[in-house]
Amino acid sequence: MVHLSTAVGTLVNSTDATDFGSCTTPEIKGAVGLDNRVEFAFEPVDLTWYPHTSAQGIQIITQFICDTPVNTCGASTAAHDLCTGTEAAVGSGKNDGGLADKFNAAFGITTDFANAEGSSTATDSSAAADLASTTTSAAASATTTSAASATSAAATAAVNANGVTVTVTAPCPGATSSATSASSAAASTASAASAATSTSNLDFGSCGSPKILFENGLDGRNTPAFVASDQTSFNHGSTLGIDVITSFIVGQLQTSCKALAEAISTAQSAASAANAAGATTGAAADAWNAAFGITTTFANGATDA
């Protein structure tokens, strides 16, 4: 059991709130060079209990960390509530080491990743930090002039960082027409299906099918959520956003599974297609699955777990 005697503010007011079961206290680090990345990224400090590859967006890590104690370690409800409350407070930023500091402080852990090399808030920025800051500023400026173009560029850049070139055209943020949304989802799924040529020959290494489900009642949720179909190969709790699951699967293919390059690049392309289809809708799972030659109809509604 892990118990902390003090914490930041009033977030931790009982030992029950810091009972993470067999897991260690959640802690995140931020650095350049994690998993050979050239940009600043985040990663759990304890990869034994929180086995997740690095991610540019801190929310991918915080959500995984907060799901793990309750799904795997028998943590208390109070501890899970503390973690998810901290996750919400930290948000979904990138390049800012101070976000890791804020998360860690909620559990009584003092860190200074805000001034780490590559962090956009570092007082002594390195070339990598300058590049991250420039990229962030450019993205913000592009969003002001053309939100749709910025979203497409960001999606392309994210895939390029992994060595794959995929262009994704995101729907206009202001669009509210259900017909337009359905058309975009269908286009994303069709695009993924087109890219799925010969995927039956993909080598996922020691892992099974990367199929994702969209179901009701997962982990006691009252809203539909995503989960990997093969929990032996991709053991991850359910999530409301598909990007957490796709990022985890891609990471597993690269590390534990020892998948071949073609399978990894297909998964990275599939992740972009899923986000373009609507990251919290059944169409996202359909688009992901289609990239591997798997036909599903979750866009018509979630199934029961």
Side-chain angles (χ1 to χ4, degrees):
M1 299 289 184
V2 178
H3 299 288
L4 301 179
S5 58
T6 60
V8 175
T10 60
L11 282 174
V12 179
N13 52 27
S14 71
T15 55
D16 187 52
T18 54
D19 179 1
F20 297 102
S22 58
C23 287
T24 55
T25 302
E27 184 179 355
I28 294 174
K29 65 181 178 182
V32 173
L34 297 175
D35 296 325
N36 297 316
R37 291 178 179 270
V38 295
E39 74 278 4
F40 191 87
F42 301 96
E43 183 180 78
V45 170
D46 187 344
L47 291 175
T48 299
W49 286 109
Y50 305 100
H52 199 295
T53 54
S54 62
Q56 271 192 283
I58 194 169
Q59 190 172 36
I60 292 175
I61 302 300
T62 57
Q63 186 164 9
F64 175 74
I65 283 180
C66 290
D67 284 344
T68 298
V70 70
N71 291 339
T72 305
C73 303
S76 68
T77 299
H80 182 248
D81 290 343
L82 167 62
C83 195
T84 54
T86 304
E87 174 194 338
V90 170
S92 58
K94 297 179 179 180
N95 302 322
D96 182 359
L99 297 175
D101 297 336
K102 184 175 181 179
F103 182 88
N104 296 336
F107 305 100
I109 302 170
T110 301
T111 52
D112 187 26
F113 294 112
N115 287 313
E117 178 184 348
S119 172
S120 60
T121 54
T123 55
D124 183 17
S125 299
S126 65
D130 292 336
L131 176 60
S133 177
T134 300
T135 302
T136 302
S137 298
S141 175
T143 300
T144 302
T145 57
S146 176
S149 295
T151 304
S152 177
T156 301
V159 178
N160 282 343
N162 288 308
V164 182
T165 302
V166 176
T167 301
V168 178
T169 302
C172 175
T176 57
S177 167
S178 59
T180 300
S181 299
S183 176
S184 297
S188 297
T189 302
S191 176
S194 176
T197 304
S198 299
T199 53
S200 60
N201 296 322
L202 291 176
D203 188 337
F204 299 113
S206 61
C207 292
S209 170
K211 179 181 179 180
I212 290 178
L213 306 176
F214 185 60
E215 297 185 331
N216 296 307
L218 292 171
D219 299 324
R221 296 179 184 274
N222 55 15
T223 55
F226 301 95
V227 70
S229 177
D230 183 351
Q231 285 293 299
T232 300
S233 299
F234 308 106
N235 184 15
H236 195 296
S238 64
T239 64
L240 298 178
I242 198 170
D243 57 333
V244 176
I245 299 296
T246 57
S247 176
F248 175 72
I249 291 177
V250 170
Q252 289 295 95
L253 291 174
Q254 293 173 318
T255 55
S256 300
C257 306
K258 306 300 182 185
L260 295 188
E262 185 181 2
I264 294 171
S265 65
T266 298
Q268 290 167 336
S269 300
S272 295
N275 285 333
T280 59
T281 68
D286 293 339
W288 165 272
N289 294 332
F292 302 100
I294 302 169
T295 301
T296 52
T297 56
F298 295 119
N300 296 332
T303 59
D304 291 331

